[in-house]
Amino acid sequence: MAPLKLYHFNVSPPSRLALLAIRNLKLDVEIVVVNTMNKEQMTPEFMKINPQHTVPTIDDNGFYLWESRAIATYLVSSKAPGSSLYPTDVKKRAVVDARLSLDHDLQKAAGEVMYPIYALGATTIPEDKKEKVYKILGNLNTFMEGQQYVAGNELTVADLAFLVNVSTLYEMGANVNKFKNIAAWYKRLESIPGFQENLEGAQLLGNFLKPKLDLKGTWDDKMATLKLYHFPASPPSRVALLAIRNLKLDAEIIVLDMLKEEHLSPEFKKINPQHKVPTINDNGFILYESRAIAMYLASSKAPGNTLYPTDVKKKAVVDSRLFMDMDLQIATGNIIRPVFYEGLTSIPDDKKERIYKVLGNLNIFLEGQQYVAGNDLTVADLAFLATISTLYEIGANVNKFKNIAAWYKKLESIPGFQENLQGAQMLGNFIKPKLNLKGTWDD
């Protein structure tokens, strides 16, 4: 009797299911590689065997069969009848068949992710397609609660079917590990025959698809990446950037050059109708206003962090200082705007005094403490830093406020200080020459 032939391409998940069935049944097989990327499945010779020209296809002594699940169940039934891989007990078999149907849904959902990348040049995965995959994995995770394998406590062809698709999803970036039962099951299957061959095929496919998505980790990492629309010269925008840096968040920084009116583009105005920076997009949640962004990021990404305390009294003090910084920012803007837009070449004394009054109050609040709202660094310090660095760079005599000067020196070591300073200097290099200042306003 002629040996079993498997027409196979290792990149193909269904083809790997047939191979896993053969390996776990320990069958003698001749493997005929059909490279579908080179369209070898379209040869007249192969199409005589399988008019649908798909892999896997088997030739069992003249009996031709394709469709991976049909091949797996046929091989068990014909080569090892009674094997627990495809039980003869009608109830146990029905559960296996049900899981094979669920795996068919998963394969289809995974294919809807892969095909646009492979054939259409897609570089992102739509959220609804991710969610479809995750919904099926979530159902499987529920079914596996309290049992070793997908259809009970024995390995079956349903496990082999899920293995090829789950390994493929792992390799192309799905966050499978968030499903704890599936992750434990996958680890358990590392010892079965054919696991490494299957993994190598999944890795080949992943190595082809994943770079096209520019993924650093999993789909969820990509999905959850924070976006900051930012202009370094903008003091409020630098508050948001400082919050991101001090919370050590992964963020995509999208610079909008406001001098070139990039913030007025139709695309950005769809995101923020007020067309202002900073604006964040946190996985679809859009937020603007710098202090709101800083408070939100601390609360959502690091709840309990001292940057924005949960203690109601400490939080109230931080909020109070944030409002005070808002006054300082408005007073600073009342100086910058006339210089920038109206060609003003000197600063009226009343506008200087308004700045110095707020700084004088802050200087008093800093007496005997390390930071603006106590002895912990908070988002209020980040807000004041963005504004006060700007004041330094446009000529305010900040150093006459000794507590503020010492506080500013202390903040040189925090994450983002240099980035913030560079933005302040960018603004200062534009404003200060127009005022013909050699030193400070007081000079």
Side-chain angles (χ1 to χ4, degrees), residues 259 335-344 427 430-431 434:
L259 299 178
I335 289 173
I336 294 171
R337 275 191 300 275
V339 177
F340 188 85
Y341 292 109
E342 300 166 19
L344 194 73
L427 183 57
F430 182 83
I431 298 292
K434 296 180 182 298

Side-chain angles (χ1 to χ4, degrees), residues 16 19-21 23-24 26 85 149 155-157 159-164 185-198:
R16 286 186 268 119
L19 185 63
L20 277 167
R23 296 306 190 213
N24 279 269
K26 298 179 173 60
L85 278 173
Y149 299 101
L155 183 77
T156 69
V157 291
D159 294 281
L160 308 184
F162 271 109
L163 176 58
V164 299
W185 161 85
Y186 189 81
K187 183 74 175 172
R188 192 176 301 120
L189 263 59
E190 289 180 0
S191 62
I192 71 169
F195 180 90
Q196 284 302 319
E197 279 179 290
N198 171 71

Side-chain angles (χ1 to χ4, degrees), residues 299-311:
S299 299
S300 63
K301 308 301 182 184
N305 190 296
T306 55
L307 275 175
Y308 195 51
T310 52
D311 178 274

Side-chain angles (χ1 to χ4, degrees), residues 263-264 268-269 271-277 279 288-289:
H263 60 301
L264 298 178
F268 184 63
K269 289 173 80 171
I271 297 168
N272 179 353
Q274 289 185 301
H275 48 82
K276 298 193 302 183
V277 293
T279 296
Y288 20 100
E289 302 299 339

